[in-house]
Amino acid sequence: MNHAARRDALASSLRQHEYDFGLVTALVNVRYLTGFTGSNGALKVAADGTATLVTDGRYKDQAIAEAPDVERVIARDLLEALCAGASGRVAIESHTVSVDDHTRIEKLLPGADLCSL
């Protein structure tokens, strides 16, 4: 199974559970879904299947080379960039997100319904 097929399967699951977005922050899962092997990255997948890889400037060229089939955003604040445009029912990897990051996500997504991915 290739990366695009894996993201499609995730998007299908998001739709099935009536989530609008999934925020993938565990690096092993980012790699599984995109091929990106950098040590700083996160992925936003919408229920419609669109995906955005967020990383910082150190990994710009690597992100282009390893994840050419997703939108890429280069930002210093990964969580802020990851949450941009997300709303509604948002699935997060609650088993790996720190309490501090969970609190920040809640502040960055006011009114969003956070659910476990």
Side-chain angles (χ1 to χ4, degrees), residues 39-50:
S39 64
N40 191 25
L43 182 69
K44 176 173 54 181
V45 178
D48 69 5
T50 58

Side-chain angles (χ1 to χ4, degrees), residues 15-53:
R15 288 189 302 274
Q16 178 183 354
H17 291 94
E18 298 180 354
Y19 297 142
D20 299 297
F21 292 91
L23 305 182
V24 180
T25 52
L27 286 172
V28 67
N29 294 330
V30 172
R31 182 178 186 173
Y32 180 78
L33 293 166
T34 66
F36 177 69
T37 63
S39 64
N40 191 25
L43 182 69
K44 176 173 54 181
V45 178
D48 69 5
T50 58
T52 303
L53 173 67

Side-chain angles (χ1 to χ4, degrees), residues 50-63:
T50 58
T52 303
L53 173 67
V54 181
T55 190
D56 67 51
R58 298 173 295 167
Y59 298 102
K60 179 181 178 182
D61 293 337
Q62 183 178 351

Side-chain angles (χ1 to χ4, degrees), residues 8 25 32 65 68 75-76 99 105-106 108:
D8 288 343
T25 52
Y32 180 78
R76 284 187 177 203
V99 172
I105 292 169
E106 287 180 322
L108 290 166

Side-chain angles (χ1 to χ4, degrees), residues 10 13-25 29 88-97 102 105-106 109 112-117:
L10 174 57
S13 180
L14 291 171
R15 288 189 302 274
Q16 178 183 354
H17 291 94
E18 298 180 354
Y19 297 142
D20 299 297
F21 292 91
L23 305 182
V24 180
T25 52
N29 294 330
R89 294 192 74 218
V90 180
I92 63 171
E93 292 179 299
S94 59
H95 60 287
T96 61
V97 173
H102 187 275
I105 292 169
E106 287 180 322
L109 296 173
D113 180 15
L114 297 183
C115 310
S116 183
L117 181 63

